[in-house]
Amino acid sequence: MQNKVSGLIENIFIYTFLIAISLFMMLPFLWMLSTSFKLPEDVFGLPPQIIPQNPTLQSYEFLLTEKNILRIVLNTFLIASGATIIRLLFCAMAGFAFAKYRFPGQRTLFAFVLGTMLIPGAVTLIPLFILLRNFGMIDTLWSLILPGAANAFGIFFLRQYLLGLNTELLEAARIDGAGEFGIFFRIILPIIRPGLISLGLIFFMASWNDYFGPLVFLKSPENFTLPLAIRTFEGAAGLTAYNTQMAMAVISIVPLLIIFLVFQNRIVDGITAGAVKG
């Protein structure tokens, strides 16, 4: 009986501690949400107020009517979706080749692919900018969709995922007359769908939150993404309107929050499945 009581007290202490830590970590998000519903003069009011005394949708109305926030959200979605689809396709093809084909220099080439993960992005920024400029892609959404299509991490992740696939299944498909592309699209992609979902969510969230890329390659405000629009936003007389800026931040984080809550189990399962193979 005493052991049960002590165990219960211990569990209460642990859960209380975890809840307190969770609330502390949520405080910046609560403050962001609260500020987005405040008037400008109430943002820095004393004492600070988590729940606004005079809640208003003024910031969101301003973004919809004056800042064309829907166009900015659409730009961000198109870039994140396009980059994710292209990366998944190329990474799956490369991962399949490294996992199930044998060719001269395979190990060396795979080591080279992994070695590119050690190269800082700033090193390739100038050559990439010149290349995109020569192709006329600067200040277009394509400048953020096409680069990085063959992602080293994605190739490694899907290669590890495919190493555990039974080769006899592929041989049986070849005997039945299936071509290599048919095997890839009709057999490989359905089998690795959990891994593709996990990797796709990682790619999507990384592209959605990317700030440095849009800062370098985008110039026109009509092409801005949410992270860039938040950073460059100015209110009246060149002053930062923090309530409106926080409203933009809320709009930016809500889609990612929904995606994470819906697919969090698939993210963990896909990453775990890929990690224990090979």
Side-chain angles (χ1 to χ4, degrees):
M1 183 66 181
Q2 184 177 1
N3 292 334
K4 292 183 179 180
V5 173
S6 61
L8 179 61
I9 295 175
E10 182 180 354
N11 289 336
I12 293 176
F13 174 78
I14 292 175
Y15 283 113
T16 302
F17 176 76
L18 293 176
I19 291 173
I21 293 296
S22 300
L23 292 175
F24 180 76
M25 295 180 65
M26 290 177 59
L27 185 60
F29 299 98
L30 294 176
W31 184 258
M32 174 185 68
L33 181 63
S34 172
T35 303
S36 69
F37 291 104
K38 292 180 180 179
L39 295 171
E41 57 269 20
D42 295 334
V43 173
F44 295 105
L46 294 176
Q49 300 171 356
I50 292 294
I51 300 178
Q53 286 186 347
N54 304 302
T56 177
L57 295 175
Q58 173 182 311
S59 298
Y60 294 95
E61 294 173 355
F62 176 78
L63 292 176
L64 288 173
T65 58
E66 301 294 334
K67 289 298 180 180
N68 200 9
I69 191 64
L70 296 180
R71 174 63 182 271
I72 297 174
V73 173
L74 179 62
N75 290 340
T76 310
F77 178 78
L78 291 176
I79 291 172
S81 301
T84 299
I85 293 172
I86 291 178
R87 288 178 183 179
L88 288 179
L89 176 62
F90 281 93
C91 289
M93 295 175 70
F96 176 48
F98 280 121
K100 294 303 176 182
Y101 290 92
R102 297 294 178 263
F103 51 88
Q106 180 187 26
R107 292 180 178 272
T108 303
L109 182 58
F110 185 65
F112 175 78
V113 171
L114 293 183
T116 60
M117 298 175 64
L118 303 176
I119 302 175
V123 174
T124 60
L125 181 62
I126 295 178
L128 179 60
F129 184 90
I130 296 174
L131 182 65
L132 293 176
R133 185 188 61 185
N134 292 338
F135 280 102
M137 293 184 181
I138 296 298
D139 200 24
T140 67
L141 303 187
W142 290 109
S143 63
L144 298 171
I145 295 176
L146 293 181
N151 183 274
F153 169 75
I155 294 173
F156 170 76
F157 178 88
L158 292 178
R159 173 188 177 271
Q160 297 302 109
Y161 202 93
L162 284 164
L163 283 176
L165 179 64
N166 193 341
T167 307
E168 295 179 357
L169 178 64
L170 307 182
E171 295 298 334
R174 294 188 180 101
I175 293 174
D176 290 339
E180 298 304 315
F181 281 100
I183 292 174
F184 175 75
F185 286 104
R186 299 172 64 180
I187 298 178
I188 298 300
L189 289 185
I191 289 177
I192 64 174
R193 185 171 62 177
L196 290 176
I197 292 175
S198 301
L199 188 62
L201 293 174
I202 294 173
F203 285 158
F204 185 89
M205 289 188 288
S207 182
W208 182 279
N209 290 323
D210 183 27
Y211 166 71
F212 190 65
L215 177 65
V216 174
F217 299 120
L218 299 182
K219 300 178 181 178
S220 304
E222 60 269 18
N223 292 330
F224 279 5
T225 60
L226 280 167
L228 186 59
I230 292 172
R231 176 62 182 84
T232 58
F233 177 79
E234 289 185 351
L239 300 177
T240 301
Y242 290 99
N243 56 331
T244 308
Q245 196 174 52
M246 292 301 102
M248 294 180 69
V250 170
I251 294 173
S252 175
I253 201 174
V254 165
L256 296 184
L257 184 61
I258 294 174
I259 290 174
F260 178 78
L261 293 176
V262 173
F263 294 102
Q264 58 179 328
N265 292 332
R266 292 183 178 270
I267 295 175
V268 176
D269 293 342
I271 292 176
T272 303
V276 299
K277 295 183 180 181

